[in-house]
Amino acid sequence: MQEHLEHENGAGELVSKEGKCWYQKFPDPMVLIFYILILAGFLTWVVPKGAYETELVDGRQRVVADSFHYLEDHNTGYSIGGAINQLFDLFVAIPQGLVQSGQYLFIVFIAGGLFNILYRSHALENLVGTAVKRIGLSRGNLLIWLATYLYGLFGISVGYENNIALVPVALLVSSALGYTNLVGACIAIGGIGIGFTLSPINPYTVGVAQSIAGLPIFSGGLLRFAMAFVALSLLAWYITTFVAPRHSASKGEGDAGALSKKIEDYHLSSRDLGIISVFFLGIVVIAGCSYLAGTGTLGRSWYIKEITAVFILMSIVIAAICRIAPDRYVAHMVEGASRVTGGALVIGLAASIKVVLEDGQIIYTIVNTLNLALDVMPESLIAVGISVIQGVINLFIPSGSGQALVTMPVLIPLADLVGITYQVMILAFQVGDGLTNMIVPTSGGTLAMLALARVGYSDWLKVIFPLVALIYVLSWGFIMLAQWLQWS
């Protein structure tokens, strides 16, 4: 269910004749992503194909610096038949994207079923209602700040996609305070996203990049932690000052996670405690196994498929506690999955963009062109420029570790040439890669969380885009300070 948002112009922003800021005028998410898909197809017709040479280092395929070269394009002539085939390939890319993003689609469906059972048990609702009752509705802003820091801590310590299960809990918090799902999404996705982006112990970006640069793993953590804390504080202030006042349920906007009774009537039963214990035990298992897999001590992979399996186990155990018969369990799971179908399909459509770019073999050409743009920048602004360029590259290579393996072999020699320390270069890469995860349509994790929150992608962009811009500016301040201090 998409929420239709109306924003007031209270800060002297550039507005349209309809009274909306330029970043608030977005089409339906399916339409928006289809436009981007068409643009990607057009780029494959005009951008030459290119590639880097790669080498195997410590079990990882890494790009060789200064090895970019253009590929021979065998489609030297154009014909009506060839043009029709290329156009048809755009539509073939859509089912290919659905297949390639299958793990994201299925975790959304399974999580939707799991939380339908949790909602029917009222255990999480009773937990949130009891917590709000004890803190007090009059201190709602304090609860938002605390929840934002908590979700940020999960992002710092657990990861990004690994926290998908926690998104609906934030919806209950926002609902208890009288706000819509969009406020809960900002708390959860914003907190997790910023925590993950600026985490001093992020194995996917910081860990991989520092290993390529030959730095001690997770060194320089103090500055990164301070940066994360300030950014999370900015997020909490932004939510309480701008988002929450404009998106209250009293204004008639949808709130799928509404509480079913008055705050003073909430309490926790022994059954509630059992269900909550199962839920948070599942979160602990996901967090612990994700960390062990990242350090290589688990002995197996641990990502979306494994997390989905934990969700299934959680749903079965919770159904047993609630004494739900097998037939009813299946019906509840299907009902929950049906509610997030639209959001899940958006993930598949977005994945088709990457399919088109990969088949067109232009991703590395774009990466190389963006890196060449650094040559015309003043040395004092190169680190800032890298953060912007990495944000653009993230649209084409949404994997943090994959982006590090492609770009860091190029950026590390550049750091030596322009006199920037490796830590500053990695920080610029980290900021650019992570912040745009919250807005690019190729980020499967973000789209999966939005699907669970039942918030439309276009509605999300209207609210989160100004925040991402603010945190970019904040990050540039830290980057320039680190560069001035020759942080190493």
Side-chain angles (χ1 to χ4, degrees), residues 107-123:
I107 196 172
V108 169
F109 288 138
I110 297 299
L114 165 64
F115 279 97
N116 188 40
I117 291 174
L118 278 168
Y119 281 135
R120 287 179 174 275
S121 75
H122 297 289

Side-chain angles (χ1 to χ4, degrees), residues 37-53:
L37 176 65
I38 294 174
L39 175 61
F42 173 75
L43 289 176
T44 63
W45 298 338
V46 298
V47 175
K49 300 178 180 180
Y52 284 99
E53 294 179 8

Side-chain angles (χ1 to χ4, degrees), residues 303-381:
Y303 194 47
I304 298 297
K305 290 183 290 186
E306 289 75 17
I307 296 171
T308 305
V310 174
F311 285 0
I312 295 172
L313 288 171
M314 289 165 62
S315 69
I316 292 172
V317 174
I318 291 170
I321 294 174
C322 296
R323 297 182 180 180
I324 298 175
D327 288 350
R328 295 304 303 162
Y329 165 79
V330 172
H332 292 333
M333 292 291 287
V334 171
E335 180 185 35
S338 67
R339 292 176 178 174
V340 294
T341 299
L345 292 177
V346 168
I347 299 172
L349 181 60
S352 64
I353 298 171
K354 189 167 181 285
V355 171
V356 169
L357 295 172
E358 286 179 340
D359 289 349
Q361 297 178 292
I362 65 170
I363 290 180
Y364 290 144
T365 304
I366 294 171
V367 170
N368 182 66
T369 303
L370 290 171
N371 284 330
L372 290 176
L374 296 171
D375 294 337
V376 300
M377 288 186 181
E379 290 186 4
S380 60
L381 295 179

Side-chain angles (χ1 to χ4, degrees), residues 6 16 39 56 105 133 165 241 261 278 321 324 378 397 430 469:
E6 294 294 334
S16 67
L39 175 61
L56 188 66
L105 271 67
K133 181 173 70 172
T241 305
K261 49 190 175 184
V278 171
I321 294 174
I324 298 175
I397 310 175
Q430 183 182 3

Side-chain angles (χ1 to χ4, degrees), residues 151-157 190-200 202 228 232:
Y151 275 94
L153 181 61
F154 278 115
I156 289 171
S157 57
I192 293 168
I194 291 172
F196 175 79
T197 295
L198 305 177
S199 170
N202 188 327
L232 287 169

Side-chain angles (χ1 to χ4, degrees), residues 272-319:
D272 292 335
L273 291 173
I275 293 170
I276 292 166
S277 297
V278 171
F279 176 73
F280 283 104
L281 177 61
I283 299 300
V284 170
V285 169
I286 291 170
C289 291
S290 298
Y291 174 79
L292 292 174
T295 59
T297 58
L298 186 62
R300 61 161 299 151
S301 63
W302 188 272
Y303 194 47
I304 298 297
K305 290 183 290 186
E306 289 75 17
I307 296 171
T308 305
V310 174
F311 285 0
I312 295 172
L313 288 171
M314 289 165 62
S315 69
I316 292 172
V317 174
I318 291 170

